[in-house]
Amino acid sequence: MNRKWIVGAFLGGLMTLSLSTGEAVNISYQEYQMNDRVVITVPLIFDMKNKETEASINEYFLESAKKTLNSIANKEELLKLERFEFISDYEVHYNEEDFLSILQKYYVYYGGAHGNTHYVPYNLDMKTERRVTLPDLFKELLD
């Protein structure tokens, strides 16, 4: 079994991930920058066979970034803080057996002793081209 683990090295904003089926998933990124202290980077998937699914996945990441930016922009008191910082990035964690796993990372710093990090996983079954969530992996408990 040939494992392929890739963590966050993106040259020129484009990375090709080889799936175990021999197909490839291409991932680029889009960066939203309000200033040097507020930067959001989101992955964008392209060249999938199902363009509707591809658009849906990308829309999810883009809308999430836009909501976050709007939330920050509407809180002027945050932007006035001298040490406020909000950085979002992602890592591709798993690419094997027709699954792709992307971890979206959010870091916020308000000027205290340390910042806070929040992670949001995004797992994709490449055979069905659907997002996989925890309930998809486990059967409901029976009485």
Side-chain angles (χ1 to χ4, degrees), residues 25-109:
V25 174
N26 292 309
I27 299 178
S28 184
Y29 66 89
Q30 180 141 358
E31 188 174 273
Y32 296 90
Q33 188 165 355
M34 186 178 290
N35 55 42
D36 63 337
R37 297 179 300 146
V38 178
V39 181
I40 297 177
T41 305
V42 295
L44 295 177
I45 296 172
F46 61 100
D47 290 340
M48 287 181 71
K49 290 178 185 173
N50 186 329
K51 294 300 179 188
E52 187 176 307
T53 300
E54 176 183 292
S56 175
I57 292 167
N58 290 336
E59 183 70 18
Y60 169 82
F61 285 119
L62 292 171
E63 285 304 312
S64 177
K66 289 175 186 176
K67 282 181 187 177
T68 303
L69 276 177
N70 287 336
S71 174
I72 292 169
N74 290 330
K75 296 181 180 169
E76 291 183 28
E77 67 277 5
L78 286 179
L79 298 174
K80 290 179 184 177
L81 292 174
E82 183 179 325
R83 299 175 80 188
F84 174 75
E85 182 176 28
F86 183 90
I87 306 293
S88 173
D89 202 356
Y90 69 97
E91 296 175 354
V92 177
H93 270 270
Y94 188 80
N95 182 28
E96 183 178 345
E97 299 171 6
D98 299 318
F99 284 95
L100 178 63
S101 181
I102 297 174
L103 184 66
Q104 188 75 36
K105 303 179 300 180
Y106 299 96
Y107 171 80
V108 64
Y109 180 69

